[in-house]
Amino acid sequence: MAGARDLGMTFAGGGNRALFQLGLMRRWWARLQPRVAAVAGVSAGACMLTVLLSKREEQVRTFFAARRGGVSRNLDWTALLRREPIAPHGSIYRDTLLHAYAGGGFERVKRAPFPVLMLAAEIPRPLPRALGTLVGFGAYQLEKQVRPGMVHPTFGRQLGFRPFVFDARACRSAAELADLVLASSATPPFTPMGRFRGRTLIDGGVIDNNPAFVTEQVASVRRNLVVMTRPYPSARTGLQGRRLYIAPSRPPPADCWDYRRDAPVDENLALGERDAAAHEDALARLLDR
């Protein structure tokens, strides 16, 4: 029925590239929100969903720029001599999330009238954490090489990595919600190993970096808007059954983990805003189905 809450939204991971998703939502969210039955995100896509629902995008954008103000390089190997993390990303990411959830942001996420599902990955039990992390990310990168244009990876599950899905609305505090998003985004050495409610987790992209299957676990979802964060072959995008796959028209200017003070992160947002116009017809067809 037209106007029913039957739309799923799935946000892919991709670090800074996921700001493309917020750019799209600047144009589309007011129209989509009344139709949404569930949202799901992984890694930075999980972050973007919570920022969107917090209604604090502008405050977060300003804070993120200021928090990166002293960063001139993304990896500092001399930090090993000081027994400090070699990457600044973990602390900047956490501080930015907590800023998003301040000022009523956390409460707005919890009041969402639909599931807000976050995907992380559990390491196969026989593997030590460090080795499991290496195996998981290695398998993901290998699969991208041997399956060009791949949208939904399979190697991680075949190796025994298990999906961990949690509704952000069930988090008990802003700090716990930050833990959940960081677990979904856990990509050592950039961000630390994820820990959430006694579980050790890594980036859910090891399971699926475009996790449409998570959104579609909600029975009322009849159509699914899947927003990716890098270009894909045209045969893999557009309307595919009950899913609409949208990808950036070109690589977002700021790369995944570029946290330097002069990284062009605002250009990723602007790319999403510009690309929205090109996808209007496809979005209308999805919503009219």
Side-chain angles (χ1 to χ4, degrees):
M1 181 174 74
R5 282 196 178 273
D6 61 1
L7 174 68
M9 288 201 329
T10 302
F11 278 15
N16 284 334
R17 297 192 315 238
L19 288 161
F20 170 81
Q21 297 162 334
L22 282 186
L24 280 177
M25 291 303 115
R26 284 180 173 180
R27 300 294 185 187
W28 290 352
W29 180 239
R31 190 184 343 164
L32 298 179
Q33 193 277 336
R35 297 285 300 271
V36 171
V39 297
V42 63
S43 194
C47 169
M48 296 304 151
L49 283 174
T50 62
V51 170
L52 177 67
L53 296 172
S54 77
K55 299 183 180 180
R56 283 175 53 82
E57 180 194 324
E58 283 305 312
Q59 295 93 324
V60 170
R61 187 186 65 79
T62 300
F63 180 88
F64 185 50
R67 187 62 178 80
R68 295 176 5 254
V71 179
S72 59
R73 50 184 170 173
N74 290 308
L75 293 174
D76 178 9
W77 295 101
T78 66
L80 293 173
L81 301 175
R82 303 188 298 273
R83 297 185 179 181
E84 297 174 355
I86 63 171
H89 303 70
S91 60
I92 294 174
Y93 198 171
R94 178 177 287 279
D95 289 350
T96 303
L97 289 169
L98 292 175
H99 191 75
Y101 308 150
F106 173 65
E107 290 75 17
R108 292 184 194 101
V109 174
K110 285 185 68 70
R111 289 198 302 267
F114 42 74
V116 182
L117 306 174
M118 313 275 108
L119 172 66
E122 293 190 271
I123 298 170
R125 292 188 184 279
L127 293 179
R129 294 171 184 173
L131 178 58
T133 302
L134 183 64
V135 168
F137 292 132
Y140 178 68
Q141 294 300 327
L142 175 62
E143 191 167 8
K144 285 202 295 186
Q145 295 298 316
V146 301
R147 294 178 59 204
M150 169 196 66
V151 172
H152 300 290
T154 61
F155 283 8
R157 290 203 202 210
Q158 291 175 26
L159 290 170
F161 289 84
R162 301 178 304 278
F164 173 80
V165 177
F166 194 87
D167 189 337
R169 300 177 302 171
C171 287
R172 296 176 289 229
S173 66
E176 188 175 59
L177 179 54
D179 287 342
L180 176 61
V181 174
L182 286 164
S184 178
S185 310
T187 314
F190 293 106
T191 56
M193 191 75 73
R195 291 181 174 83
F196 182 77
R197 294 195 178 183
R199 297 172 184 262
T200 298
L201 303 164
I202 61 172
D203 193 305
V206 169
I207 301 293
D208 192 339
N209 200 49
N210 298 293
F213 80 94
V214 174
T215 322
E216 291 163 8
Q217 290 176 359
V218 177
S220 54
V221 170
R222 295 183 55 244
R223 61 202 82 205
N224 195 351
L225 173 63
V226 184
V227 187
M228 302 184 283
T229 62
R230 61 183 175 87
Y232 281 80
S234 59
R236 304 288 186 181
T237 60
L239 280 168
Q240 308 275 345
R242 63 174 179 157
R243 298 174 180 171
L244 172 60
Y245 290 89
I246 290 181
S249 58
R250 62 185 182 88
D255 203 5
C256 291
W257 291 113
D258 190 355
Y259 273 31
R260 294 172 301 163
R261 56 178 171 261
D262 57 352
V265 294
D266 284 347
E267 295 182 30
N268 290 10
L269 278 163
L271 177 62
E273 286 196 85
R274 291 194 302 270
D275 277 7
H279 298 293
E280 283 286 348
D281 289 346
L283 180 65
R285 289 197 300 274
L286 176 74
L287 296 179
D288 289 343
R289 287 191 161 206

